[in-house]
């Protein structure tokens, strides 16, 4: 009898990816006995970029660096290969076609995002392609009755995962990086090294730091 593959799909901007993202993915992998978790960095329109964010190619590289030490983690550039806007329905349809009808696809998302599921593009079709693993977030209350009223049947396709309750924000990390505050123990070391090497998020690039030191 063939073993049914259980595949977690975890989307996000990952700008930058941090230890909270990795902890959530690992918790979902353990709680749901997933064979693998696929990280899918989201596309973003060029006119929304500024000096405090990283472009898609760099976010993809950082995500790969962050996931490299876990054999159960892989990274897909599928959303970055499509023209914007790129919808979750397109991503799930792609993985459904790749893994086949019998694979168990589980889309991982936070409780805050789950509250908006009824308003996602082609939300009813999403339920035919995957189940949902909802990670609880501190201070976020998910009303399952309300959610099921707005999107009938979704609660039957949903699993709540309690932890981990790590409060790490990519927005706050970008601010800390830009102002020179420490981010150690919040970002994987390989990712932080890449940020510093390429002068991302307002961090001075190596040549800039060298010139600054020479001027002292």
């Amino acid at each position: 009898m063939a073993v049914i593959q259980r595949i977690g799909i975890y989307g996000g901007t990952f700008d930058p990816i941090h230890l909270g993202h990795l902890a959530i993915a690992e918790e979902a992998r353990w709680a749901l006995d997933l064979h693998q978790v696929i990280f899918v960095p989201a596309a973003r329109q060029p006119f929304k970029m500024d000096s405090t964010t990283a472009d898609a190619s760099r976010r993809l590289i950082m995500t790969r660096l962050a996931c490299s030490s876990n054999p159960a983690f892989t990274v897909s550039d599928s959303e970055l290969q499509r023209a914007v806007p790129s919808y979750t329905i397109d991503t799930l349809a792609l993985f459904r076609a790749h893994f086949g009808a019998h694979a168990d696809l589980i889309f991982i998302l936070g409780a805050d995002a789950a509250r908006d599921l009824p308003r996602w593009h082609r939300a009813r079709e999403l339920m035919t392609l995957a189940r949902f693993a909802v990670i609880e977030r501190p201070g976020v209350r998910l009303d399952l009755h309300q959610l099921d009223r707005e999107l009938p049947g979704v609660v039957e396709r949903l699993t709540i995962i309690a932890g981990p309750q790590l409060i790490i924000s990519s927005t706050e990390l970008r601010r800390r990086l830009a102002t020179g505050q420490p981010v150690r123990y919040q970002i994987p070391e390989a990712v932080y090294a890449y940020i510093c090497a390429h002068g991302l998020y307002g961090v001075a690039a190596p040549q800039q730091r060298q010139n600054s030191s020479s001027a002292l």
Side-chain angles (χ1 to χ4, degrees):
M1 184 177 179
V3 176
I4 296 176
Q5 293 188 81
R6 290 180 299 279
I7 309 296
I9 301 168
Y10 187 20
T13 53
F14 304 128
D15 191 20
I17 190 166
H18 53 67
L19 295 181
H21 293 130
L22 299 177
I24 284 171
E26 179 64 10
E27 187 75 8
R29 185 202 63 77
W30 175 82
L32 301 173
D33 195 23
L34 303 177
H35 292 97
Q36 65 173 300
V37 177
I38 303 173
F39 286 67
V40 187
R44 188 166 48 208
Q45 295 179 347
F47 58 77
K48 290 187 178 180
M49 299 295 293
D50 59 45
S51 62
T52 66
T53 60
D55 64 31
S57 62
R58 295 201 185 280
R59 290 187 288 113
L60 179 65
I61 291 171
M62 288 189 286
T63 304
R64 285 174 170 161
L65 287 170
C67 294
S68 62
S69 63
N70 190 327
F73 289 174
T74 60
V75 182
S76 169
D77 66 352
S78 57
E79 289 208 1
L80 306 182
Q81 297 299 323
R82 291 197 300 268
V84 294
S86 180
Y87 295 109
T88 299
I89 187 74
D90 301 319
T91 299
L92 292 181
L94 179 70
F95 286 120
R96 175 56 67 197
H98 176 76
F99 288 105
H102 298 293
D104 188 9
L105 301 185
I106 301 168
F107 191 78
I108 302 167
L109 70 166
D112 48 348
R115 292 190 300 194
D116 293 328
L117 265 176
R119 286 163 286 283
W120 286 24
H121 184 61
R122 294 161 62 184
R124 293 185 185 279
E125 292 180 56
L126 289 174
M127 296 189 294
T128 69
L129 294 172
R131 296 190 291 128
F132 302 98
V134 177
I135 310 297
E136 291 184 342
R137 295 277 176 85
V140 177
R141 179 179 176 272
L142 181 62
D143 187 335
L144 295 180
H145 295 293
Q146 177 65 27
L147 185 63
D148 209 49
R149 281 194 296 270
E150 295 180 5
L151 188 59
V154 69
V155 171
E156 297 176 4
R157 305 283 291 167
L158 182 153
T159 300
I160 303 291
I161 299 177
Q165 301 291 308
L166 298 181
I167 306 176
I168 304 177
S169 161
S170 291
T171 300
E172 175 64 11
L173 285 173
R174 293 195 299 270
R175 187 194 67 78
R176 294 180 70 86
L177 286 162
T179 55
Q181 295 177 268
V183 296
R184 195 175 188 182
Y185 308 123
Q186 298 183 72
I187 298 178
E189 290 186 10
V191 172
Y192 181 61
Y194 183 86
I195 289 170
C196 292
H198 295 274
L200 304 182
Y201 307 117
V203 174
Q207 185 61 43
Q208 293 174 308
R209 290 196 293 271
Q210 183 179 350
N211 292 342
S212 176
S213 297
S214 300
L216 294 177

